[in-house]
Amino acid sequence: MTVETKTLSKEISEIFWKEGFTLATAESCTAGNVAANITAIPGSSRFYKGGIVAYANEAKQELLHVKAETLDTYGAVSEETVREMVDGALDAFHARFAIATSGIAGPGGGTPEKPVGTIWIAAGSKEKVITAKLEEDNGRELNVHAATKKSLSMLLELVQNHENEQ
């Protein structure tokens, strides 16, 4: 955990405590790193319901209910897949918000169409899902860190906007 992700996690925790929101995660390339950063903050058990690390497409389908057609058409590393992963995590944990990540952290596994460093992220609720695509390869560890930081930033933006809309 870096100072940046700790700060983001702390801000998220404070909002979730105050508002009574709940959170779940569905991670592929970040392999639980997002969940680890969230649960590093004392008291996170008050709002964090759980997470699924779904590396294999079969796990994405069986545990998160990502459609086979989505994976066949767009691939595991796609906006469509992370959107469905968010929905699956929301349903699996009966959470108000969820984060999902899927990508190619490296060093191998990339293709010309989806090179190493391509990572899709989604944060959302049943009402709204926002997505982002990272496309920079700085090595596996930094790619995972960048995806974790972006995930937390997106969730914070989403819940802050939700608070302002109330």
Side-chain angles (χ1 to χ4, degrees):
M1 174 179 268
T2 65
V3 171
E4 294 168 313
T5 57
K6 185 173 184 175
T7 300
L8 289 166
S9 295
K10 188 164 176 22
E11 286 182 64
I12 290 165
S13 293
E14 289 169 0
I15 292 170
F16 274 65
W17 292 334
K18 180 179 137 202
E19 298 294 331
F21 295 151
T22 54
L23 177 65
T25 54
E27 301 181 66
S28 185
C29 66
T30 50
N33 201 48
V34 174
N37 275 268
I38 289 165
T39 59
I41 303 300
S44 59
S45 61
R46 289 172 49 194
F47 68 88
Y48 182 69
K49 300 205 63 182
I52 295 171
V53 176
Y55 248 54
N57 284 350
E58 295 83 11
K60 289 177 182 70
Q61 289 177 266
E62 293 171 19
L63 300 173
L64 296 167
H65 306 291
V66 174
K67 296 181 196 92
E69 306 84 61
T70 300
L71 294 166
D72 291 343
T73 303
Y74 304 103
V77 182
S78 66
E79 179 177 20
E80 293 79 6
T81 294
V82 293
R83 283 179 172 277
E84 290 184 23
M85 289 171 69
V86 162
D87 285 339
L90 291 170
D91 290 342
F93 293 99
H94 307 287
R96 178 77 175 85
F97 291 95
I99 294 172
T101 63
S102 189
I104 306 158
T111 65
E113 298 81 28
K114 293 180 183 175
V116 172
T118 304
I119 300 172
W120 275 98
I121 302 162
S125 64
K126 287 293 187 185
E127 297 80 31
K128 182 178 184 177
V129 177
I130 58 175
T131 61
K133 181 182 182 185
L134 303 181
E135 298 182 272
E136 191 172 328
D137 180 19
N138 293 303
R140 184 177 186 84
E141 186 176 335
L142 291 178
N143 291 345
V144 169
H145 172 71
T148 300
K149 180 181 167 192
K150 183 67 174 175
S151 299
L152 297 172
S153 295
M154 288 170 60
L155 178 64
L156 183 58
E157 174 188 333
L158 187 71
V159 296
Q160 285 174 334
N161 288 340
H162 181 272
E163 280 189 305
N164 294 335
E165 292 168 4
Q166 297 297 321

